[in-house]
Structures are given as C-alpha cells and as structure tokens.
Amino acid sequence: MTTAPRRRTGRPGIAWAVPGLLFFLFFAAAPMLIVGYLSFTQWDGLSNPSWTGTDNWDRLWNDDTMRQAIALSLLLTVLTWLFQTPIALLLGVWAAGRQRTRALLSAIFFLPLLASSVALALLWKTIFDPNLGLNAQIADWLNLSSADLLGSPRGAFAAVLFVTAWQFIPLHTLLYQGGARQIPQSLYDAAALDGAGTVRQFFAITLPQLRNTIVTSSVLMVVGALTYFDTVLILTRGGPGDATTIVPFLMYRTGFQAFDLGYASAVATALVITATAVSLLLVRLTGFSKMRSTREGI
Amino acid sequence: MSTSARRRRRANIPAGAAAFLWLVIVAVPLYILVASTVQSRSSYLENGPLSLPGEFTLDSYRRVLEGDFPRYLLNTLIVTVACAAIVIVLAVTVAYSIIRTRTRLSRRVFQIFLLGLAIPSQAVIIPIYLIITELQLYDTLLAIILPTAAFSLPVSVLILVGSMRDIEEEQYESMALDGAGPARVLWQLVVPMTRGGISTVGVFSALGAWNGFLFPLILTQSRENRVLTLGLYDYIGEFRVDIPALLAAVVLSIVPIFTAYLFARRQLINGLMGVGGR
C-alpha cells in the first residue's frame, strides 16, 4: 500500500489502543499467567501463597473427584452440543424466513436471553421442587411414586443439561438466523431449477453456507458448557453427592468453600488449557481465523 | 410466487412445528413464573404452579420491595452504567486504532482480543480475587465493575471493528484534506457512522453487567454492596417457604432489563445476528 504522507495525518497511532489493551491485559490476560503460578503454591486466601512445586498437579492426576468432574464436564459439553445445535439450527433457519408469526414468536423466544442465569435457575429450581413444583403435579397425574428429579444423580444431570439449553438455545438461534439471512436467495432459486428438493437444498446449500456460523456457535457453546457454574450452584449445588460436580463447580468448592486456593488454581488452569485448546482447535480446523467469506467463488 | 419460494415455505412446516413446540417449552415456565407471583402463599401451596391464580394479589411484590431489594437494584444500576461507559470508551478507541493503523502491531492487538474471547471468567476468578484484594477493592462496587468491563472488551472490540470496516476510505480522506486530526476524525466521522455498533456494544456490556453473578459472588460480601443477582441467590434461604415472593423477586429483576430490551431490541438482535454472520 502506498500512502502519501498527507493522507496519514488523520490517522490515529497504535497508542490509541493502549488504554483498552492494558486494562484488558491487567484484568483478563495477566490473571491467566497468575493462575498458572498459583497452581504451584499452597494458599488459603489470607496469608501469602507458598511455593510447593508440583504438589497440586501430582494430586490432580490422582484425584478421583477431579477425574469424575472432568468426565462429567466433557459429557455435559458433548450432550450440550448434540442437544442445542440441531434445535438452534432448525429454529434459526426457520426464523430467517418471512413468516408473519415470527415477530410475535421471537419476542417470547428471546426472553430467556435477557434474564440472568441466577433468575432462570431459581425459576427452574421452583418448578423442579419435589413437593410444590410442576414435576410433583405431573408425577401426581401419572401416578409416579417419586417426583424428586433433582434428588437423583441422572435426573439432576439431565436438569442441568435442560435448563442451560433452555437458557442458551435462543442465543444460538439468533446466530443461525443471522447467518441464514445472509445466504443469497439466488442459490436456492438455482437449486430449485435443478430440481433439488427442500431437504437437499438444506444439506447442499444452507448447511455449507452456514459454516462460519456453525463454528462461532460451537465455540461459544463448548466454552460455555465447560464453564457452566451459576446454574449448577443454584440448581443442584453439585449434588446429589458429586453427580453434577463439574470442573468449574469443583474449582469453586475447593477454592472458595474449602479455601484451598492453590489446588483450585490447578483445577482452573486445567480448565483454561482445555477451553483454549478446544476453541483453538475448532477455529484452526475450520480456517475461521482467516475470516474467509463464505461468499467467495459465487 | 415462484416455485422456489413455495418450496421454501413448504420446507418450513416441520421447522415451524418444532418452533411451536419450543415456544410452548419457553412459554409454560414463564407463565408459571408470572402466575405464581400474583397469588397468596397459601393459594400457591394448595393449587400448585400450573393453576390459574384464584385471587389476584400483588402482596408478594410488596414483601420483596419492603426488604433490601431497592438497594440491590440501585447497586446493579451503578455497576451496569459504569461498565457500559468504560467498555464503550475503551472499545471505541481500540477498534479505531486497529482499523486505522493497519500495522503488524495493530493486527497483533486485534488477535489478542480475539483470543481473549476464549478466556472463561471462571478460570481466572482466583487471580482476580488476588488482584482485587491487593488493590484493596474487595467488597466494593468497583471490584465488580472493573473485571466485568474487562471481560466485555473482546466481543465489543470485535463488533466495533466490524462496523468501522464499513466506513469508506474516501470519507477519511476528505476529512484529512480538511486537516482533521485523529481525535476530530473519531468524533465527527467514526462515532456518528458507527452509532449502531456502539449502541450494540452498550446493550451487550450492560446486559452482561446486569446479569453477572460470579464476580459479585466472589468479590463482594456485605449487604451494602450486594447486586441483584447475588440478592436473588440470597433469597433462596430468605424466601425458602415463600415461593410467590421468591419468584416476584425474579420477575422484578427481569422487568428493568426487559423494558430496556423493548427500546434496544434492534441493537441486541442485529448485534447477535451480525456475530453469527461474520
């Protein structure tokens, strides 16, 4: 690029980015390094952290609770993706059309998007109440003996999966709606001329054209599921037993209830490495970082 | 209507049915939420969550509002406004610099923010707790504001870089010919041209601050500095047997943000759809 010096006078320097960058590095990036350091220490939150070498990490590899937490987190992540993606994709593509009912429906659709996970988890905790909740009523109708969904390990896990899906599907629906809106109608017209049916059109045009959206949504979904915390704390407190103690909750329990902040830092570091690796992998695999347009070659 | 249009409409039938099903799944809990709050405690205990409220009463709202709720609301408002202001100022300057410097360094800065999207706040809450206590900010509203704003920056920078890309080079040039410096270009050209992006960023960071829970939970303690989400968490114990009041608190925490949504609907929806389309 050849730029005459005259033209450059109106340009800001990189210095304009410094305040924002420093602020971000101080509160988000530096803590990434500090948490790594803390994972090699013992710290109760009051005195100074004392260096204990790889003690925490040795303990981490042999900790059954941690192993189970990792397994639960991975299971929750995979099930979250399998549960939320088809629904959000279907709803998003549908909402991108021009139905008249859409405006009304979307107003209700997006309500869960506005509320905090605390508020929604509280609502669902009430609904799942074994004595007063909706499931008590349904169990009553069906003559079931137990309505204590949150009291059984599988039920509690399913409840976390469902409540988080209920909360986040609207967000992913919006992402897919935006993506689907940008697909040129001419592609569908051409396919229709070639005699492609609606199902073929979906798989031959809609899905490939939504590639970038699928990557964005999946990264958000996976990192989100690996870090679900609010919902678990309010809905199940990690229980019954350790049935819903996923990694972020284990970290909270270890760090801020047992005040074993050194070991909790090791758990957090493992979490950060996993989340970053997964999202980098997803981004690399799909070439998303190049910001390539799906419109190329049309 | 062309054949293709009819085909697309036909394709929408199964998806439309799924959408209707999902609507029911969303609407029933919301009905329970509102219906439970307008009945008395005894009526809720007798009839359960699905029933139509027999006698209409707003007493549950009174029970909530008489407590500490107004203080929580005020704290949340302060945190939300402060976060949105910090994020807008910092994200606009960062995005402006990234868009207009176009050096290797500015690309690096952009990449740092892109990578920052993947940092989960849960994973760094322990060092943030350390930093906040070292800064002697523990149990203040500032302890919530600073990290919340920092974690809103990456997505805000991403959105603003996207909308600043749409400004034509000629418009910059004509301002430069007038001898405008970078500050004047920002104020008279970039800010007016990206008003949509800026309001999206404002809405997003406000929503994040309003609904944030982890930072208040870990970084504050006293009742004076309690925000709404933490207050709701506390109500689990306080209103354990008073479900209408508990849910009334939930409704009251959503009403302000829902009202704001009615005004800023376009910014929120377009912003989200924009992220998905890029």
Side-chain angles (χ1 to χ4, degrees), chain A residues 1 6-17 19-21 23-29 31-32 34-35 38 43 45 87 90-91 93-94 97-99 103 105-119 122-127 129 132-134 137 141 162 165-166 169-171 174-175 177-179 181-182 185 188-189 192 195-198 201 212-213 216 223 227-230 233-234 237 248 251-252 255-256 259 261 264-265 268-269 271-272 275-276 279-280 288 291, chain B residues 2 4-5 7-12 14-16 18-19 22-23 25-30 32-33 44-45 47-51 86 90 93-94 96-103 105-106 109-110 112-116 118-120 122-132 135 145-147 149-151 153-154 158 165 169 173 176-177 180-183 185-186 207 210-211 213-214 217-218 229 232-233 236 243 246-247 250 253-254 257-258 261 265 268-269 272-278:
Chain A
M1 207 191 337
R6 180 171 48 89
R7 282 205 201 147
R8 290 201 71 94
T9 51
R11 285 177 187 269
I14 194 72
W16 284 70
L21 187 65
F23 184 68
F24 174 71
L25 290 176
F26 187 73
F27 280 105
M32 292 264 278
I34 302 176
V35 78
L38 287 174
W43 185 36
I87 298 177
L90 204 62
L91 290 179
V93 171
W94 174 78
R98 282 165 185 78
Q99 291 80 5
L105 291 184
S106 47
I108 302 173
F109 266 160
F110 302 132
L111 255 178
L113 198 64
L114 301 172
S116 61
S117 30
V118 176
L122 260 180
L123 169 63
W124 281 102
K125 193 184 172 70
T126 315
I127 292 177
D129 187 286
L132 303 169
L134 181 64
Q137 223 166 44
W141 292 336
F162 175 78
W166 191 84
I169 280 177
L171 169 72
L174 267 184
L175 297 181
Q177 186 183 349
R181 282 250 174 94
Q182 293 183 7
Q185 180 61 37
Y188 291 101
D189 293 341
T198 47
Q201 285 185 16
N212 280 351
T213 315
T216 312
V223 175
T227 54
Y228 285 152
F229 168 73
D230 310 5
L233 176 68
I234 287 159
R237 298 201 136 263
M251 183 213 72
Y252 170 75
F256 296 100
F259 289 99
L261 286 145
S265 295
T269 308
L271 184 68
V272 114
T276 313
S279 43
L280 275 183
F288 183 70
M291 293 271 170
Chain B
S2 71
S4 66
R7 270 185 200 285
R8 277 192 95 185
R9 184 140 304 176
R10 189 140 34 93
N12 283 331
W22 190 255
L23 181 71
I25 296 175
V26 173
V28 168
L30 295 177
I32 292 177
L33 173 62
Y44 181 87
L45 290 177
N47 303 322
L50 261 191
S51 60
I86 293 175
L90 292 181
T93 47
V94 168
Y96 178 48
S97 163
I98 288 173
I99 275 289
R100 293 299 289 161
T101 17
R102 292 182 191 281
T103 57
L105 199 59
S106 68
V109 171
F110 188 48
I112 289 174
F113 280 104
L114 274 183
L115 282 177
I119 301 179
Q122 286 85 345
V124 290
I125 185 64
I126 296 170
I128 286 178
Y129 171 73
L130 176 68
I131 291 173
I132 290 294
L135 292 175
I145 294 167
L146 297 177
F151 274 82
L153 271 183
L158 186 69
R165 272 206 187 113
E169 184 62 40
E173 278 170 17
L177 282 177
V185 172
L186 175 68
L207 192 63
W210 187 278
N211 288 335
F213 177 61
L214 184 70
L217 176 73
I218 305 289
T229 45
L232 284 181
Y233 178 56
I236 297 177
I243 287 172
L246 182 66
L247 293 181
V250 170
S253 79
I254 300 175
I257 205 86
F258 184 67
Y261 162 78
R265 187 168 171 271
L268 184 78
I269 304 288
L272 282 173
M273 291 204 298
V275 171
R278 284 222 169 82

Side-chain angles (χ1 to χ4, degrees), chain B residues 8-228:
Chain B
R8 277 192 95 185
R9 184 140 304 176
R10 189 140 34 93
N12 283 331
I13 290 174
F20 182 75
L21 183 67
W22 190 255
L23 181 71
V24 172
I25 296 175
V26 173
V28 168
L30 295 177
Y31 164 77
I32 292 177
L33 173 62
V34 177
S36 307
T37 60
V38 295
Q39 47 190 321
S40 66
R41 277 168 66 180
S42 55
S43 145
Y44 181 87
L45 290 177
E46 268 169 45
N47 303 322
L50 261 191
S51 60
L52 289 165
E55 22 137 20
F56 181 89
T57 167
L58 291 176
D59 202 51
S60 60
Y61 289 93
R62 190 185 52 78
R63 291 200 292 281
V64 173
L65 288 171
E66 272 176 355
D68 284 321
F69 191 91
R71 184 190 296 165
Y72 303 162
L73 185 69
L74 179 67
N75 285 340
T76 299
L77 268 175
I78 295 171
V79 167
T80 302
V81 171
C83 273
I86 293 175
V87 169
I88 287 175
V89 169
L90 292 181
V92 165
T93 47
V94 168
Y96 178 48
S97 163
I98 288 173
I99 275 289
R100 293 299 289 161
T101 17
R102 292 182 191 281
T103 57
R104 209 216 291 253
L105 199 59
S106 68
R107 270 196 298 276
R108 278 269 171 275
V109 171
F110 188 48
Q111 277 166 352
I112 289 174
F113 280 104
L114 274 183
L115 282 177
L117 282 172
I119 301 179
S121 53
Q122 286 85 345
V124 290
I125 185 64
I126 296 170
I128 286 178
Y129 171 73
L130 176 68
I131 291 173
I132 290 294
T133 37
E134 289 295 317
L135 292 175
Q136 316 243 312
L137 288 174
Y138 180 75
D139 199 21
T140 62
L141 290 182
L142 211 52
I144 306 172
I145 294 167
L146 297 177
T148 306
F151 274 82
S152 292
L153 271 183
V155 75
S156 307
V157 168
L158 186 69
I159 291 172
L160 285 175
V161 164
S163 55
M164 284 182 193
R165 272 206 187 113
D166 297 340
I167 302 174
E168 306 280 336
E169 184 62 40
E170 288 78 45
Q171 291 177 284
Y172 287 116
E173 278 170 17
S174 69
M175 283 211 73
L177 282 177
D178 286 351
R184 222 182 94 197
V185 172
L186 175 68
W187 196 244
Q188 291 185 354
L189 173 67
V190 178
V191 168
M193 291 290 286
T194 47
R195 207 172 278 150
I198 292 173
S199 41
T200 300
V201 163
V203 168
F204 269 116
S205 47
L207 192 63
W210 187 278
N211 288 335
F213 177 61
L214 184 70
F215 291 139
L217 176 73
I218 305 289
L219 303 174
T220 65
Q221 192 174 31
S222 63
R223 222 167 248 276
E224 292 84 73
N225 295 312
R226 196 169 286 167
V227 289
L228 271 180

Side-chain angles (χ1 to χ4, degrees), chain A residues 23-196:
Chain A
F23 184 68
F24 174 71
L25 290 176
F26 187 73
F27 280 105
M32 292 264 278
L33 301 176
I34 302 176
V35 78
Y37 162 76
L38 287 174
S39 75
F40 295 101
T41 66
Q42 188 170 28
W43 185 36
D44 59 7
L46 296 171
S47 54
N48 287 324
S50 61
W51 184 265
T52 54
T54 57
D55 280 8
N56 290 324
W57 289 94
D58 294 339
R59 193 177 140 199
L60 194 74
W61 302 131
N62 301 307
D63 184 345
D64 286 340
T65 320
M66 178 63 184
R67 244 178 240 167
Q68 200 203 338
I70 291 173
L72 286 174
S73 265
L74 292 179
L75 184 67
L76 187 65
T77 305
V78 171
L79 289 178
T80 291
W81 194 86
L82 289 175
F83 186 23
Q84 295 188 16
T85 299
I87 298 177
L89 186 60
L90 204 62
L91 290 179
V93 171
W94 174 78
R98 282 165 185 78
Q99 291 80 5
R100 239 178 252 157
T101 43
R102 209 190 54 224
L104 172 79
L105 291 184
S106 47
I108 302 173
F109 266 160
F110 302 132
L111 255 178
L113 198 64
L114 301 172
S116 61
S117 30
V118 176
L120 296 180
L122 260 180
L123 169 63
W124 281 102
K125 193 184 172 70
T126 315
I127 292 177
F128 290 147
D129 187 286
N131 300 312
L132 303 169
L134 181 64
N135 54 328
Q137 223 166 44
I138 292 174
D140 206 32
W141 292 336
L142 300 175
N143 262 326
L144 294 177
S145 54
S146 168
D148 196 2
L149 185 70
L150 297 178
S152 84
R154 281 191 183 184
F157 190 80
V160 171
L161 182 69
F162 175 78
V163 171
T164 47
W166 191 84
Q167 181 181 1
F168 289 113
I169 280 177
L171 169 72
H172 297 282
T173 300
L174 267 184
L175 297 181
Y176 283 117
Q177 186 183 349
R181 282 250 174 94
Q182 293 183 7
I183 303 175
Q185 180 61 37
S186 59
L187 289 178
Y188 291 101
D189 293 341
L193 278 179
D194 290 344

Side-chain angles (χ1 to χ4, degrees), chain A residues 180-258:
Chain A
R181 282 250 174 94
Q182 293 183 7
I183 303 175
Q185 180 61 37
S186 59
L187 289 178
Y188 291 101
D189 293 341
L193 278 179
D194 290 344
T198 47
V199 176
R200 253 213 80 194
Q201 285 185 16
F202 180 79
F203 286 103
I205 298 169
T206 311
L207 268 191
Q209 286 285 315
L210 285 177
R211 194 193 57 193
N212 280 351
T213 315
I214 294 174
V215 177
T216 312
S217 163
S218 300
V219 170
L220 289 176
M221 221 180 255
V222 165
V223 175
L226 283 172
T227 54
Y228 285 152
F229 168 73
D230 310 5
T231 311
V232 173
L233 176 68
I234 287 159
L235 208 58
T236 67
R237 298 201 136 263
D242 285 335
T244 51
T245 301
I246 53 175
V247 178
F249 187 79
L250 179 65
M251 183 213 72
Y252 170 75
R253 205 177 67 182
T254 315
F256 296 100
Q257 288 181 336

